[in-house]
């Protein structure tokens, strides 16, 4: 659910909020440099906003997930709460603007979504381990290709994760084309379902 939602957020952010991604920090960092070099200052500024907000979101969710692991009151799935607040805030803002916000509002929404993706990636890394990425696949695919050519092993989880990200992006693109007002609802609903699933599993383990 988280990987599918990440694909949807990245696709919708790219299509509707200025042409940069919400969690692809490598690409956004390069675009920031393109802007600094004078080729496209507007695009560079948008990419810089996405990178800064991603870092802020990662810091917040990383702290929450780490606190939960150290025996605090937060449950392991509660790092998703901050992401949920951010995603639903964008949904409400987008609907309030009638699906046609101003340029400044789109930039703010882009920053909020980038922070949400930072929350997701950092929280998953702390709560589930670095081997379970949901929105950054370069290292995952590199490892899968390396294992395939050196040992003949097929890393099916890496392939499934990649496929889910692509399908999430495709679903968001389809919604953006057919039902633009509904597109931001997709990732918000998926992350909500993931959070509820995580809390239910935690409650079951505690009861056992």
């Amino acid at each position: 659910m988280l990987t599918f939602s990440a694909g949807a957020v990245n696709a919708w952010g790219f299509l509707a909020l200025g042409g940069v991604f919400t969690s692809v920090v490598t690409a956004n960092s390069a675009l920031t440099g393109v802007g600094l070099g004078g080729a496209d200052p507007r695009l560079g500024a948008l990419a810089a906003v996405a990178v800064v907000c991603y870092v802020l979101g990662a810091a917040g969710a990383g702290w929450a997930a780490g606190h939960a692991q150290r025996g605090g009151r937060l449950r392991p799935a509660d790092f998703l709460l901050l992401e949920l607040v951010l995603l639903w805030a964008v949904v409400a803002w987008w609907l309030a603007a009638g699906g046609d916000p101003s340029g400044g509002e789109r930039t703010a929404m882009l920053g909020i979504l980038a922070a949400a993706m930072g929350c997701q990636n950092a929280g998953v890394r702390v709560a589930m381990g670095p081997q379970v990425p949901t929105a950054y696949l370069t290292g995952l695919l590199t490892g899968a290709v390396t294992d395939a050519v050196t040992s003949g092993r097929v890393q099916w989880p890496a392939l499934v994760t990649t496929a889910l990200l692509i399908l999430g992006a495709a679903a968001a693109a389809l919604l953006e084309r057919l039902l633009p007002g509904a597109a931001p609802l997709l990732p918000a609903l998926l992350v909500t379902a993931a959070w509820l699933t995580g809390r239910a599993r935690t409650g079951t383990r505690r009861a056992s």
Side-chain angles (χ1 to χ4, degrees), residues 4 12 14 25 34 38 66 74 83 88 101 109 117-118 128 132 143 146 158 162 165 188-189 201 208:
F4 197 97
W12 184 70
F14 183 88
V25 176
V34 168
L74 295 174
E83 180 182 4
W88 283 111
M109 290 180 191
M117 287 295 93
M128 302 171 66
V132 192
T146 302
T162 303
L165 193 81
L189 290 171
R201 291 186 62 188
S208 299

Side-chain angles (χ1 to χ4, degrees), residues 22 49 53 83 85-87 89-90 93 105-117:
T22 55
V49 167
C53 290
E83 180 182 4
V85 169
L86 297 173
L87 290 176
V90 169
W93 196 350
E105 288 177 311
R106 289 176 190 269
T107 300
M109 290 180 191
L110 174 69
I112 293 171
L113 288 180
M117 287 295 93

Side-chain angles (χ1 to χ4, degrees), residues 135-161:
Y136 51 97
L137 304 182
T138 303
L140 189 71
L141 284 177
T142 301
V145 171
T146 302
D147 285 348
V149 300
T150 58
S151 62
R153 291 181 300 176
V154 177
Q155 296 288 346
W156 291 110
L159 299 180
V160 170
T161 298

Side-chain angles (χ1 to χ4, degrees), residues 31-137:
L31 290 175
T32 300
V34 168
L36 290 173
D40 194 335
R42 185 199 66 84
L43 187 64
L46 285 175
V49 167
V51 171
V52 170
C53 290
Y54 180 94
V55 170
L56 294 174
W63 176 87
H67 185 69
Q69 282 198 338
R70 291 191 297 270
R73 294 181 180 179
L74 295 174
R75 299 186 186 188
D78 283 349
F79 70 87
L80 291 174
L81 279 173
L82 179 55
E83 180 182 4
L84 281 175
V85 169
L86 297 173
L87 290 176
W88 283 111
V90 169
V91 169
W93 196 350
W94 183 261
L95 294 177
D100 188 24
S102 66
E105 288 177 311
R106 289 176 190 269
T107 300
M109 290 180 191
L110 174 69
I112 293 171
L113 288 180
M117 287 295 93
C119 290
Q120 179 174 309
N121 286 335
V124 167
R125 182 180 180 87
V126 174
M128 302 171 66
Q131 72 279 6
V132 192
T134 59
Y136 51 97
L137 304 182

